């Protein structure tokens, strides 16, 4: 145990230290100096300008939300209470093919880009411009930002309903290069969605070569999470292999009753591929998905709740069935009337959710949608739900293992250097919580209630959340690729 310098800004004493590696927790103290952890262990001979008695609560590295759509929320709602209230200290943005940059258009952003941008003025012509905006007006937590393939397509193509031409691919590669050089950490795809559906595998591999040249990462909302789930996993593995890049499969699941159980097969495929290439995945702990309202999805879901609607906003929070009844039409017709809109779809099985969560290489990503009027509760509840419901109540895996999936593992995958770990000289991104009471309180009926059991959250050495409220501090940083470590690494599993 090292004791570091003689005085520290802050000492947290008598904590249950969970270091993020999956190693068993142990009692001890932790000292913070400036934005870093100064010492850890028995620090009884050390003095802090301020001291906190943790009274045996768990102290862990701040959680990394590997899958977010917080791109604009970081600017429009920089306190980011939906995330810091869960102990999240870093978010990965730009997922599912959509990012605010680099793109300049003068029309309504085509769905699903409208999940994050509902006015063209909310977009940024350059990725550097977007990151500078975060620097100027920083959020409470850190952000590692990806470029979206759909965003690139909308910028480079007059018609996105076809494969990109050779010239268009070259244009996208140039825009991607410039974005990576400004600090973007990688490229996401949303091959499921209308503006990217027509992109062949080869188009993504071509862009992947740019990622390879820059040591950047690729994440994907795959082409099909329903009847062609297995084929989609194989396509993803091929993209990673042919472009020689690390890949993360986003929100891994099997959608629709006929497809339930298929994750048993895909997890085997992923496990086999991992022997020869860097491949990761994330998941959120719920049986319902949420995204743009898409009439194609109605037959797959047991129940649908509308989360927002541009044309009929008064129906947010109601089921599509109830709305159809009120409007006196079919659910398909009601959906058409609500567009553009968002929805929650109940379409996964609890067994599958548990199977994916229990897989040792699965990270936790909320996929929360911060601009929805009546959001999916995963936005406010994901991390405490894993730690409370799945760890303490269901006993799906031990607490230390859950923390590793939220800290050390994502830090290794996304190259978050000096984060995701409790050790001297790592950044002081910290969460102090009570393993006995931590719980998600957000529900499908009341989706924006903050979690219970989170006592203190620190980002870069400054408190951002304390005793149920934001402190107002905004010490977050836009993390540039150039300041990060190698991506696609596996964390040590215990
Ligand atoms: Zn997605
Ligand atoms: Cu997403």
């Amino acid at each position: 145990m090292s004791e570091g310098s003689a005085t520290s800004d802050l000492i947290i004493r008598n904590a249950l230290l969970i270091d993020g590696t999956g190693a068993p927790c142990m009692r001890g103290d932790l000292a913070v100096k400036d934005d870093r952890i100064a010492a850890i262990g028995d620090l009884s001979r050390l003095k802090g300008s301020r001291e906190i008695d943790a009274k045996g609560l768990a102290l862990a590295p701040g959680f990394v939300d590997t899958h977010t759509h917080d791109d604009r929320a970081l600017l429009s709602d920089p306190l980011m209470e939906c995330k810091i209230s869960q102990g999240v200290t870093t978010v990965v943005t730009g997922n599912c093919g959509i990012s605010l940059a680099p793109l300049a258009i003068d029309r309504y952003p085509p769905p699903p880009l409208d999940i994050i941008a509902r006015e063209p003025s909310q977009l940024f012509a350059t990725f550097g411009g977007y990151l500078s905006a975060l620097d100027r007006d920083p959020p409470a937590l850190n952000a590692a930002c990806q470029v979206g393939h759909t965003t690139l397509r909308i910028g480079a193509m007059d018609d996105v309903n076809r494969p990109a031409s050779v010239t268009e691919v070259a244009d996208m590669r140039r825009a991607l290069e410039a974005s990576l050089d400004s600090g973007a950490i990688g490229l996401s795809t949303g091959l499921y969605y209308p503006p990217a559906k027509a992109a062949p595998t080869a188009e993504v591999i071509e862009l992947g070569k740019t990622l390879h040249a820059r040591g950047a990462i690729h994440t994907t909302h795959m082409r099909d999470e329903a009847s062609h789930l297995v084929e989609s996993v194989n396509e993803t593995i091929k993209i990673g292999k042919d472009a020689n890049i690390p890949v993360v499969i986003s929100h891994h699941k099997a959608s629709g009753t006929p497809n339930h159980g298929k994750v048993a097969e895909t997890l085997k495929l992923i496990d086999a591929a991992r022997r020869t290439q860097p491949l990761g995945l994330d998941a959120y702990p719920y049986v319902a998905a949420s995204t743009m309202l898409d009439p194609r999805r109605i037959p797959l879901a047991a129940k649908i709740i509308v989360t927002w609607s541009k044309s009929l906003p008064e129906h947010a929070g109601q089921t599509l069935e109830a709305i159809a009844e009120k409007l006196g039409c079919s659910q398909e017709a009601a959906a058409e009337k609500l567009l553009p809109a968002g929805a929650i779809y109940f379409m996964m099985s609890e067994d599958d959710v548990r199977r994916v969560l229990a897989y040792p290489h699965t990270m936790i990503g909320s996929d929360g949608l911060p601009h929805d009027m009546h959001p999916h509760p995963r936005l406010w509840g994901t991390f405490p739900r894993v730690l409370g419901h799945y760890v303490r109540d269901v006993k799906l895996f031990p607490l230390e293992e859950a923390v590793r999936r939220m800290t050390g593992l994502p830090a290794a995958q996304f190259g978050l250097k000096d984060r995701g770990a409790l050790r001297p000289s790592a950044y002081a991104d910290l969460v102090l919580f009570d393993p006995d009471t931590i719980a998600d309180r957000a529900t499908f009926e009341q989706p924006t209630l903050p979690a219970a059991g989170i006592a203190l959250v620190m980002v870069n050495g400054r408190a951002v959340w304390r005793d149920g409220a934001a402190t107002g501090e905004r010490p977050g940083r836009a993390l540039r690729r150039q300041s990060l470590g190698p991506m696609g690494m596996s964390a040590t599993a215990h």
Side-chain angles (χ1 to χ4, degrees), residues 67 69 95-96 189-190 193 220-221 225 250-251 253 290-291 367:
H67 187 103
H69 295 285
N95 284 289
C96 299
T189 50
Y193 290 109
T220 180
H221 178 150
E225 296 177 321
S250 297
H251 43 60
K253 60 171 163 303
S290 183
T291 181
D367 203 4

Side-chain angles (χ1 to χ4, degrees), residues 67-385:
H67 187 103
T68 83
H69 295 285
D70 292 338
D71 309 54
R72 181 161 63 89
L74 293 167
L75 295 164
S76 65
D77 185 16
L79 288 182
M80 292 296 296
E81 289 164 288
C82 57
K83 296 295 167 70
I84 59 171
S85 61
Q86 301 182 53
V88 171
T89 56
T90 300
V91 293
V92 177
T93 69
N95 284 289
C96 299
I98 52 172
S99 59
L100 294 181
L103 183 61
I105 50 173
D106 51 15
R107 59 184 195 280
Y108 181 82
L113 184 52
D114 61 350
I115 285 174
I116 54 172
R118 290 180 197 161
E119 309 279 344
S121 62
Q122 292 164 344
L123 301 166
F124 289 80
T126 67
F127 212 87
Y130 170 64
L131 294 176
S132 304
L134 290 174
D135 291 343
R136 273 196 306 276
D137 198 6
L141 41 61
N142 306 307
C145 308
Q146 301 175 93
V147 183
H149 169 234
T150 291
T151 294
L152 294 179
R153 288 194 117 228
I154 295 168
M157 303 173 70
D158 54 358
D159 172 14
V160 289
N161 300 309
R162 55 168 176 78
S165 69
V166 173
T167 339
E168 288 161 342
V169 171
D171 286 349
M172 286 195 271
R173 282 189 74 165
R174 261 193 304 277
L176 175 59
E177 265 165 29
S179 301
L180 294 170
D181 289 348
S182 318
I185 66 153
L187 175 79
S188 76
T189 50
L191 300 177
Y192 164 78
Y193 290 109
K197 260 175 76 135
T201 312
E203 179 179 318
V204 183
I205 294 171
E206 272 309 294
L207 296 171
K209 290 176 185 164
T210 302
L211 298 174
H212 172 75
R214 299 289 196 284
I217 199 164
H218 173 49
T219 68
T220 180
H221 178 150
M222 299 186 299
R223 210 177 280 284
D224 191 327
E225 296 177 321
S227 51
H228 295 97
L229 176 65
V230 172
E231 293 88 329
S232 295
V233 169
N234 282 326
E235 178 185 29
T236 302
I237 292 170
K238 178 177 167 57
I239 290 167
K241 194 172 172 192
D242 289 6
N244 194 7
I245 48 172
V247 183
V248 172
I249 297 175
S250 297
H251 43 60
H252 193 45
K253 60 171 163 303
S255 293
T257 315
N259 306 305
H260 291 170
K262 281 187 181 172
V263 297
E265 190 179 338
T266 57
L267 289 173
K268 275 189 205 136
L269 285 174
I270 291 168
D271 219 44
R274 282 179 52 84
R275 284 184 218 125
T276 54
Q277 68 188 88
L279 181 62
L281 69 160
D282 59 44
Y284 49 79
Y286 295 88
V287 292
S290 183
T291 181
M292 57 188 267
L293 177 61
D294 182 347
R296 285 186 298 163
R297 276 201 181 191
I298 296 173
L300 276 179
K303 179 167 117 179
I304 295 176
I305 300 172
V306 171
T307 55
W308 67 277
S309 162
K310 193 170 154 84
S311 38
L312 300 168
E314 65 276 17
H315 292 299
Q318 300 169 3
T319 64
L320 188 60
E321 198 180 2
I323 298 168
E325 202 167 301
K326 258 177 238 169
L327 299 178
C329 62
S330 69
Q331 294 197 36
E332 283 74 11
E336 294 292 346
K337 287 184 187 157
L338 289 157
L339 293 177
I344 293 167
Y345 305 83
F346 289 81
M347 57 183 190
M348 285 96 92
S349 85
E350 178 67 26
D351 281 355
D352 280 0
V353 168
R354 291 185 185 193
R355 214 175 265 143
V356 174
L357 286 176
Y359 180 62
H361 304 290
T362 302
M363 302 179 285
I364 308 302
S366 72
D367 203 4
L369 304 177
H371 308 293
D372 288 10
M373 283 177 70
H374 185 95
H376 186 306
R378 66 194 185 187
L379 176 66
W380 287 78
T382 290
F383 291 81
R385 182 167 170 80

